[in-house]
Amino acid sequence: MSIEPESAAPVLLLSVRDEYLGRAWRPPGPHWPGRPGLVGGLDLAAGGTWLAVDPATRTAACLLNGFGPLAPAEARLSRGELPLTAVEHGGIGHLDLAPYDPFHLVVVRPDGARVTSWGGSGRAQERELPVGLSVVLNDGLEGRAANRTTSERVRALMAARAEHFRARLTATARPRPGPGGPAREAWGAWLPIVTGDGLALDADAALVQRRDFGDGRIWGSSSISLLALGPDLLRYDFAAAPGADAWQRVALG
């Protein structure tokens, strides 16, 4: 997440979806008849999304799974509803979060962004993101959530990823995407970085990744989203990973 209030594109969001690769999904579109204005990728397992956009308000919400105690099985609700609810209602402050497993939800506006972190108990934490570059991981904003992974290996992988790509994006000219033109022009020098930066899929710092943690299922990056928001700007570029060769502009009505 990059916030520069004086830029022609004040808010830039990079979202990489990591999931077990056998979980079926569809690319972003207007998938919810009961919410006809909203756009997002569709998770076919639960019917929700990992990233939702409301073109009418130029807002977006991006979901990351968190760590901590799980919700009671008999009352559990899908976290994939949360991005849709957030863009529809301007946030999730009205919700009882007890039925949801831990998560981090980034709600993005034309003038900034806020992350809500729920650790499965107590009270949710809300933080407004500062000007500059911020990183939200499964361990929370800058990896500092109250509830974090107990796996030293997973924590090390997240830290390596954040360190490498923070340095690379900070050292590269910030793009100024407009509403038109192809992704390579809109995102400039950022594009080859966010599509993997030449790292192997199993490198510790890999942003676009493939990993076998030994349970017979493969964990990895299934898609990459790039969003630009401003008072008069909303642009959404999307690509399936790992190659990310076929970028598409998502129609936003």
Side-chain angles (χ1 to χ4, degrees), residues 125-144:
Q125 295 181 327
E126 291 194 352
R127 296 181 179 88
E128 190 74 13
L129 298 189
V131 171
L133 192 69
S134 295
V135 179
V136 183
L137 308 163
N138 298 105
D139 267 351
L141 177 61
E142 308 298 349
R144 297 173 183 167

Side-chain angles (χ1 to χ4, degrees), residues 16-41:
V16 179
R17 187 192 186 210
D18 296 330
E19 183 56 85
Y20 284 108
L21 297 182
R23 189 167 179 133
W25 57 277
R26 289 180 182 166
H31 295 297
W32 300 274
R35 291 160 159 154
L38 305 188
V39 174

Side-chain angles (χ1 to χ4, degrees), residues 2-246:
S2 173
I3 300 175
E4 296 293 345
E6 304 306 317
S7 171
V11 179
L12 305 179
L13 172 66
L14 160 65
S15 172
V16 179
R17 187 192 186 210
D18 296 330
E19 183 56 85
Y20 284 108
L21 297 182
R23 189 167 179 133
W25 57 277
R26 289 180 182 166
H31 295 297
W32 300 274
R35 291 160 159 154
L38 305 188
V39 174
L42 177 63
D43 172 32
L44 291 172
T49 188
W50 57 95
L51 193 157
V53 179
D54 183 355
T57 59
R58 284 194 287 274
T59 58
C62 178
L63 176 74
L64 295 88
N65 293 344
F67 298 101
L70 302 180
E74 67 276 7
R76 183 175 294 133
L77 298 176
S78 171
R79 289 170 291 193
E81 281 289 309
L82 293 170
L84 297 165
T85 299
V87 296
E88 189 174 37
H89 296 279
I92 57 170
H94 62 292
L95 294 180
D96 173 13
L97 299 181
Y100 297 95
D101 289 343
F103 66 83
H104 308 287
L105 184 71
V106 184
V107 178
V108 187
R109 316 175 306 270
D111 64 345
R114 176 179 290 268
V115 59
T116 299
S117 294
W118 167 244
S121 62
R123 298 182 61 182
Q125 295 181 327
E126 291 194 352
R127 296 181 179 88
E128 190 74 13
L129 298 189
V131 171
L133 192 69
S134 295
V135 179
V136 183
L137 308 163
N138 298 105
D139 267 351
L141 177 61
E142 308 298 349
R144 297 173 183 167
N147 289 342
R148 286 171 281 176
T149 178
T150 58
S151 167
E152 292 297 330
R153 174 60 174 157
V154 172
R155 185 174 295 183
L157 290 173
M158 286 192 288
R161 190 186 219 188
E163 180 179 0
H164 177 91
F165 285 91
R166 182 195 300 280
R168 291 287 287 124
L169 294 175
T170 299
T172 304
R174 187 180 188 271
R176 300 176 62 186
R184 66 179 180 276
E185 294 178 5
W187 297 98
W190 271 28
L191 203 63
I193 297 174
V194 305
T195 52
D197 205 28
L199 297 177
L201 297 177
D202 60 353
D204 280 5
L207 181 66
V208 178
Q209 59 177 307
R210 289 286 187 278
R211 304 191 189 279
D212 184 348
F213 289 116
D215 61 357
R217 296 179 294 170
I218 303 299
W219 177 267
S221 306
S222 59
S223 66
I224 305 171
S225 296
L226 285 165
L227 280 81
L229 300 91
D232 300 305
L233 173 67
L234 178 59
R235 179 187 179 112
Y236 184 0
D237 291 283
F238 177 86
D245 295 323

